């Protein structure tokens, strides 16, 4: 055990979980005691076998401990005095927050306070943040960064299947699939330890179809690569459905027994013209035909989507159209079949189930549903009228900040000035807000703007559960003490609640006690965790939800074997119009820019840049462009370019590659400041789920000489 991460005298040994992506690989980390005569401790990292990662780790997991032991860690609260963040005691910091919240609430009403959470928080912290907003503060304004991540796929799953769990099957089904479609997902860089499931499928003879405007590391395993024009996935899915229909590759029995609404889809497909689809998507008609037929003919198949399809203003319906393909061919609810929305953040799945979304209560309950409200009110010991109604989505909260309607904002586990679309507006809003609190391990771009910064524990020091991309709940325990004066997210919320006079609703002394209340609050909901206990998690290593009973072990991970989650047990087809991307290139902004990730950095890079081994792999941002595009705009490889859109401009170094479409540019999202791609992205939101159209913006580029 150690008390200070910088301590060089003592060693430790801890079994933990990677803090980054949704696979949640299990790690054994050992800090070795320095040899006599040497100063520096060394660390050994091993993957521990568990059902998802099977003992593998990627480069981020191997080096995750480096940010935890970084000398940049915040070890003491900071309070702004004379415009400067200055070390302060917890008492002073929390008093500042309490005084402000009470004052703002009295003067402008509780809705003038906003909370902004994140998908890296444990289930316990995410649950408590939702409860804190509604019960300790009484505000309706709470949302979280998963809005930018999972909202399109989650809402599509809810509408089509009646439930949203990232994978409807198990990872172990992947090697059994004869055809796999990977739409807008770059698993090789974003969930690298899952790649062996796909290579095993390929060894078993699977045919792999990748849909991506770039030749990614994932596309390297593709048998067909559909190098699509950004933002046209819904149209491609229409083309594939048309082929499946005309080639009679539909599963008529499945359609009639297990679904509703096929007649409407069929009627809609009659008007779909493959030549038009080819034109819109920039793909060859024959290759669309081949992809559809291969998937249709395969005995088993799994279709995956991720942010490439989903972070669009039609992301919700684009996913629904891919789900139409899955349903029409009956490839779901049986071994080797299913759909997967590849979840992003470590707790991207659990973080969207227990109430940090503006429209949601724990257990995936709806904040608008009277029965749901009454149930949760009972668990919380309040009247259901006391629970506020729904608020607005993450970016809309930032608009309210900008307009001055939200006067105080509490950010826990996010770096919104970098990760929101239209970042200049967000930065402007936060720079003039009355009061900003950030709970973080580091002085992120957002924390730097705060009035109070609260230092929190990192994954190595903080107990809790996280739910991986499969819907498997995993327990992360620790024996390592909180360094310096850092505190757990959940204990900060409990203490603040007490200071606001709401102690009786937040009497928790451990993460496990919070989890036990979460179990009750989720009981009978769609995401039912009631049957999951810490002891069971310790014993079984991980448990799939839904898990309604502590008694029987009836969760095998496969959903929809007998029925879908709608009241009548049937899934719903939804006809989707093909449309052009949200922003069409024109004379002034002639190119389409998309964006995404690289292997060694995580999200806004606040953590990975503090890991020397990871930072060294990618030190600065870049823009990928095709050689012919580079020639046209007189850009040389490696030179700085300015990229501009209707929203704003940023500058990055060029990287010329023929692995991208000629009409498309690609920029990673991991850097803030002048290199921030989000200065140029569009804040237009998908009306169905409020996902911003991150992945398609019309831009211009010019060399910066
Ligand atoms: N290394 C690393 N891993 C991560 C993360 C990270 O930051 N770094 N973040 C985690 C999180 S939170 C998330 S959400 C996931 C994200 O995981 P992914 O969604 O796989 O990641 P992205 O790189 O954003 O986008 C995936 C691919 O979509 C393609 N794409 C862009 N536009 C389109 C389009 O219009 N249509 C189609 N079909 N494809 C398109 C991009 O070229 C890219 O290769 O990764 C998780 N894992
Ligand atoms: N252009 C563009 N923009 C995007 C995307 C894209 O593909 N393109 N992707 C979007 C997606 S999918 C996502 S998920 C968002 C994510 O974007 P952000 O929400 O900004 O995510 P992070 O960069 O992980 O920021 C998390 C912050 O919380 C801190 N942190 C980590 N763990 C904890 C914890 O346990 N407790 C507390 N209190 N703090 C913690 C970290 O140090 C960091 O400062 O970005 C979105 N923005
Ligand atoms: S980043 Fe993801 S794949 Fe890599 S070690 Fe961490 S959890 Fe595993
Ligand atoms: Mo994400």
């Amino acid at each position: 055990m150690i008390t200070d991460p910088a301590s060089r005298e003592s060693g430790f040994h801890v079994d933990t979980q990677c803090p980054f992506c949704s696979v949640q690989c299990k790690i054994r980390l050992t800090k070795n005691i320095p040899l006599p005569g040497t100063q520096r401790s060394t660390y050994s990292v091993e993957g521990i076998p568990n059902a998802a990662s099977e003992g593998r780790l990627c480069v981020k997991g191997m080096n995750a401990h480096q940010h935890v032991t970084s000398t940049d860690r915040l070890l003491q609260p900071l309070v702004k005095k004379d415009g400067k963040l200055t070390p302060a005691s917890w008492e002073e910091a929390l008093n500042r927050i309490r005084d402000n919240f009470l004052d703002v609430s009295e003067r402008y009403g509780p809705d003038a306070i906003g909370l902004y959470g994140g998908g890296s928080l444990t289930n316990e912290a995410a649950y408590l943040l939702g409860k804190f907003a509604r019960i300790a503060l009484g505000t309706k304004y709470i949302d979280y960064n998963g809005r930018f991540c999972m909202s399109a796929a989650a809402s599509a799953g809810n509408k089509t299947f009646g439930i949203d769990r990232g994978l409807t099957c198990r990872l172990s089904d992947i090697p059994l699939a004869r055809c796999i479609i990977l739409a807008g997902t770059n698993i090789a860089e974003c969930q690298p330890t899952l790649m062996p499931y796909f290579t095993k499928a390929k060894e078993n003879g699977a045919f792999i179809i990748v849909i991506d405007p770039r030749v990614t590391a994932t596309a390297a395993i593709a048998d067909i690569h559909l190098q699509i024009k950004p933002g046209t996935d819904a149209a491609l899915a229409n083309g594939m459905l048309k082929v499946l229909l005309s080639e009679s590759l539909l599963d008529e029995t499945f359609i009639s027994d297990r679904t509703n609404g096929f007649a409407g889809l069929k009627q809609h497909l009659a008007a779909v013209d493959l030549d038009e689809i080819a034109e819109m998507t920039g793909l060859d008609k024959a290759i669309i035909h081949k992809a559809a037929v291969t998937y249709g003919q395969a005995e088993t198949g799994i279709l995956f989507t991720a942010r490439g399809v989903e972070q669009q203003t039609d992301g919700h319906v684009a996913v629904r159209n891919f789900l139409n393909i899955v349903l029409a061919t009956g490839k779901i609810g049986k071994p080797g079949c299913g759909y997967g929305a590849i979840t992003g953040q470590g707790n991207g799945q659990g973080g969207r189930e227990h109430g940090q979304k503006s429209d949601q209560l724990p257990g995936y309950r709806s904040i608008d549903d009277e029965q749901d409200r009454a149930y949760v009110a009972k668990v919380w010991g309040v009247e259901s009228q006391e629970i506020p109604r729904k608020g607005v989505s993450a970016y809309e909260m930032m608009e309210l900040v900008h307009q001055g309607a939200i006067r105080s904002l509490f950010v826990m586990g996010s770096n919104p000035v970098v990760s929101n679309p239209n970042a200049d507006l967000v930065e402007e809003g936060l720079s003039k807000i009355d009061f900003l609190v950030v709970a973080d391990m580091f002085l992120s771009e957002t924390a730097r703007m705060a009035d109070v910064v609260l230092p929190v524990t990192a994954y190595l020091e903080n107990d809790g559960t996280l739910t991986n991309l499969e819907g498997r709940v995993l327990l992360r325990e620790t024996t390592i003490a909180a360094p310096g004066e850092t505190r757990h997210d959940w204990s900060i919320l409990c203490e603040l609640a007490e200071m606001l006079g709401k102690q009786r609703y937040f009497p928790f002394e451990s993460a496990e006690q919070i989890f036990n209340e979460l179990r009750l609050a989720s009981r009978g909901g769609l995401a039912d965790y009631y049957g999951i206990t810490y002891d069971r998690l310790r014993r079984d290593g991980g448990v799939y939800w839904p898990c309604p009973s502590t008694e029987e072990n009836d969760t095998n991970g496969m959903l929809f074997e007998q029925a879908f989650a709608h009241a009548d047990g049937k899934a719903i087809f939804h006809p989707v119009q093909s449309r052009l991307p949200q922003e069409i290139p024109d004379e002034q902004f002639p190119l389409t820019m998309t964006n995404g990730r690289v292997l060694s950095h995580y999200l806004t890079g606040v953590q990975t840049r503090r890991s020397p081994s990871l930072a060294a792999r990618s030190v600065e941002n870049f823009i990928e462009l095709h050689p012919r595009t580079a020639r046209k705009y007189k850009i040389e490889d490696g030179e700085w370019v300015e990229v501009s859109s209707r929203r704003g401009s940023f500058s990055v170094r060029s990287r010329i590659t023929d692995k991208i479409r000629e009409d498309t540019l690609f920029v990673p999202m991991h850097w803030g400041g002048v290199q921030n791609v989000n200065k140029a992205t569009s804040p237009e939101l998908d009306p169905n789920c409020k996902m911003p159209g991150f992945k398609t913006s019309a831009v211009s580029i010019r060399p910066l000489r």
Side-chain angles (χ1 to χ4, degrees), residues 186 190 212 214 231 233 307 312 594 597-598 601 603 695:
N186 184 8
C190 296
D212 198 304
R214 302 183 302 137
D233 292 87
R307 305 312 84 77
Q312 309 280 0
T594 189
R597 290 149 171 87
V598 300
H601 280 298
L603 297 175
K695 288 282 199 268

Side-chain angles (χ1 to χ4, degrees), residues 519 528-533 536 543 547-551:
R519 290 174 49 219
D528 190 336
Y529 280 41
Y530 180 68
I532 307 175
T533 62
R536 188 165 173 186
V543 179
C547 181
S549 166
T550 49
E551 300 295 316

Side-chain angles (χ1 to χ4, degrees), residues 131-150:
K131 185 175 178 184
F132 184 84
R134 275 82 182 219
I135 303 303
L137 296 174
T139 177
K140 66 178 175 184
Y141 289 127
I142 173 166
D143 212 56
Y144 81 124
N145 67 12
R147 183 67 69 171
F148 301 152
C149 183
M150 298 312 304

Side-chain angles (χ1 to χ4, degrees), residues 424-482:
D424 286 343
L425 175 131
V426 174
E427 187 167 343
E428 199 178 287
L430 289 179
S431 65
K432 62 183 190 192
I433 195 172
D434 288 352
F435 192 69
L436 175 66
V437 185
V438 175
D440 206 299
M441 295 164 303
F442 299 104
L443 213 49
S444 67
E445 285 84 348
T446 307
R448 261 182 243 149
M449 304 175 74
D451 297 283
V452 178
V453 182
L454 303 174
V456 300
T457 49
Y459 75 104
L460 278 179
E461 305 134 2
N462 188 5
D463 289 330
T465 60
L466 298 102
T467 307
N468 82 353
L469 81 162
E470 296 174 277
R472 199 195 291 265
V473 183
L474 300 163
L475 176 61
R476 185 186 74 197
E477 289 187 290
T478 184
T479 50
I480 298 178

Side-chain angles (χ1 to χ4, degrees), residues 16-27 29 45 57-68 118-122 145 190 344-348 413 441-442 457-462 466 476 602-603 606-608 611 614:
T16 182
Q17 249 160 257
C18 177
F20 299 128
C21 89
S22 56
V23 188
Q24 286 301 291
C25 303
K26 287 276 187 185
I27 301 177
L29 176 72
V45 184
L57 289 178
C58 82
V59 65
K60 285 187 297 307
M62 294 293 292
N63 296 294
H65 61 280
Q66 290 179 350
H67 76 264
V68 179
S120 293
L121 301 177
T122 60
N145 67 12
C190 296
Q345 300 173 88
N347 198 29
M441 295 164 303
F442 299 104
T457 49
Y459 75 104
L460 278 179
E461 305 134 2
N462 188 5
L466 298 102
R476 185 186 74 197
Y602 183 68
L603 297 175
V606 173
Q607 291 160 278
T608 44
S611 166
L614 296 174

